């Protein structure tokens, strides 16, 4: 089911990219990093890492993940789907109350054109604001797909686009096994990483179990787990409110 949803989302995005922006010069990571509009990871001197979770909240796995984070005093950023947040507002409130950051991951995990993306972002913004009293600062594109129009649409609505470290995509949605998730994170860990996990979209029991190994291991190495906002602030990047 997760694979089907992801494929549908990517099809929509490809239509958005090729249909709405055909013939235009496309820019890559280096260009967007220079603009400061898109972040993949940060060069940091301190041993700080930002854990991020997509597609939630989920009634079962999000509370379990929050329990593990609390156990190790780890803060994270949750890129939430608006319709899920509306269904489980108490989990969004818990994330906020426990010091985590809430970010925008669209309302339905799909969009087909610029107007639809604007609507998806706006609806999720309103849901998050109605629960937390604050609008999110960050947006993560579905499947990590981006182009100038997607980025500009997000920026015009006040977002900075947050991706993830290419070497820290756990691919936990594929359920590759706890050991593989743990090994992926620990073997590549470096200061300033943004790590991609999922707390919804399918069975996330492997993610929960992997976190119970990852967090104490990285803490032993001297790492601190911070929100995306704190990661940017600690490395001298301005965070706009």
């Amino acid at each position: 089911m997760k694979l089907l949803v992801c494929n549908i989302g990517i099809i929509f995005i490809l239509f958005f990219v090729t249909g709405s922006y055909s013939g235009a010069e496309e820019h890559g990571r280096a260009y967007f990093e220079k603009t400061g509009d898109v972040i993949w990871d940060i060069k940091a001197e301190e041993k700080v890492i930002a854990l991020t979770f997509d597609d939630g909240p989920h009634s079962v796995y999000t509370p379990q993940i929050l329990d593990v984070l609390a156990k190790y005093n780890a803060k994270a950023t949750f890129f939430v789907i608006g319709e899920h947040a509306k269904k489980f507002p108490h989990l969004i409130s818990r994330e906020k109350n426990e010091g985590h950051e809430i970010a925008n991951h669209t309302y339905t995990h799909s969009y087909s054109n610029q107007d639809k993306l604007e609507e998806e972002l706006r609806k999720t913004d309103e849901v998050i604001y109605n629960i937390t009293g604050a609008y999110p600062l960050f947006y993560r594109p579905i499947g990590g797909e981006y182009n100038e129009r997607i980025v500009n649409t997000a920026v015009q609505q006040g977002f900075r686009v947050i991706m993830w470290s290419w070497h820290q995509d756990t691919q936990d949605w594929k359920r590759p096994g706890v050991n593989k998730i743990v090994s992926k994170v620990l073997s590549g860990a470096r200061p300033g990483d943004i790590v991609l996990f999922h707390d919804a979209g399918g069975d996330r029991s492997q993610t929960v179990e992997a976190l119970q190994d990852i967090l104490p291991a990285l803490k032993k190495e001297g790492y601190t787990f911070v929100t995306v906002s704190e990661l940017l602030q600690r490395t001298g990047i301005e965070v706009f409110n």
Side-chain angles (χ1 to χ4, degrees), residues 86-152:
K86 188 174 182 179
K87 187 176 181 181
F88 304 112
H90 64 288
L91 293 177
I92 300 298
S93 294
R94 180 181 172 187
E95 289 170 356
K96 179 180 183 296
N97 292 338
E98 294 184 5
H100 305 294
E101 186 162 37
I102 317 298
N104 195 316
H105 194 44
T106 74
Y107 192 79
T108 63
H109 206 260
S110 67
Y111 48 84
S112 55
N113 55 49
Q114 182 174 354
D115 289 342
K116 179 63 174 175
L117 176 56
E118 290 174 356
E119 179 186 359
E120 290 270 322
L121 294 175
R122 184 169 55 251
K123 288 176 69 175
T124 302
D125 261 9
E126 292 304 320
V127 170
I128 293 172
Y129 179 82
N130 288 338
I131 298 170
T132 67
Y135 288 107
L137 302 175
F138 305 123
Y139 157 65
R140 174 170 284 164
I142 301 167
E145 296 288 338
Y146 67 95
N147 65 13
E148 191 161 1
R149 177 138 326 170
I150 291 172
V151 172
N152 287 344

Side-chain angles (χ1 to χ4, degrees), residues 66-82:
L66 288 170
D67 288 345
V68 179
L69 294 174
K71 180 179 179 180
Y72 294 100
N73 193 29
K75 304 307 177 187
T77 301
F78 290 85
F79 288 85
V80 305
I81 294 176

Side-chain angles (χ1 to χ4, degrees), residues 5-112:
V5 171
C6 284
N7 286 341
I8 291 173
I10 291 171
I11 289 171
F12 280 137
I13 296 165
L14 288 175
F15 177 81
F16 184 16
V17 171
T18 59
S20 300
Y21 209 64
S22 180
E25 180 184 357
E26 284 302 322
H27 297 289
R29 174 172 174 172
Y31 169 84
F32 287 113
E33 283 187 319
K34 286 182 180 179
T35 68
D37 292 333
V38 187
I39 303 291
W40 278 264
D41 46 35
I42 303 295
K43 291 181 179 179
E45 297 297 326
E46 290 184 85
K47 282 192 166 183
V48 288
I49 284 183
L51 308 178
T52 67
F53 297 86
D54 285 9
D55 299 349
H58 187 279
S59 59
V60 174
Y61 301 112
T62 302
Q64 292 179 2
I65 287 170
L66 288 170
D67 288 345
V68 179
L69 294 174
K71 180 179 179 180
Y72 294 100
N73 193 29
K75 304 307 177 187
T77 301
F78 290 85
F79 288 85
V80 305
I81 294 176
E83 62 180 1
H84 294 173
K86 188 174 182 179
K87 187 176 181 181
F88 304 112
H90 64 288
L91 293 177
I92 300 298
S93 294
R94 180 181 172 187
E95 289 170 356
K96 179 180 183 296
N97 292 338
E98 294 184 5
H100 305 294
E101 186 162 37
I102 317 298
N104 195 316
H105 194 44
T106 74
Y107 192 79
T108 63
H109 206 260
S110 67
Y111 48 84
S112 55

Side-chain angles (χ1 to χ4, degrees), residues 45-49 186 189-192 214-226 234:
E45 297 297 326
E46 290 184 85
K47 282 192 166 183
V48 288
I49 284 183
L186 297 186
R190 63 192 187 202
I214 291 168
L215 297 187
L218 288 179
K219 284 198 75 171
K220 188 175 182 180
E221 292 181 22
Y223 280 96
T224 300
F225 308 102
V226 298
R234 286 197 181 198

Side-chain angles (χ1 to χ4, degrees), residues 61 170-178 181 202-206:
Y61 301 112
T170 64
Q171 298 190 358
D172 57 343
W173 62 273
K174 293 182 179 180
R175 305 194 78 244
V178 173
I181 296 172
D203 183 344
R204 297 291 165 255
S205 57
Q206 290 185 359

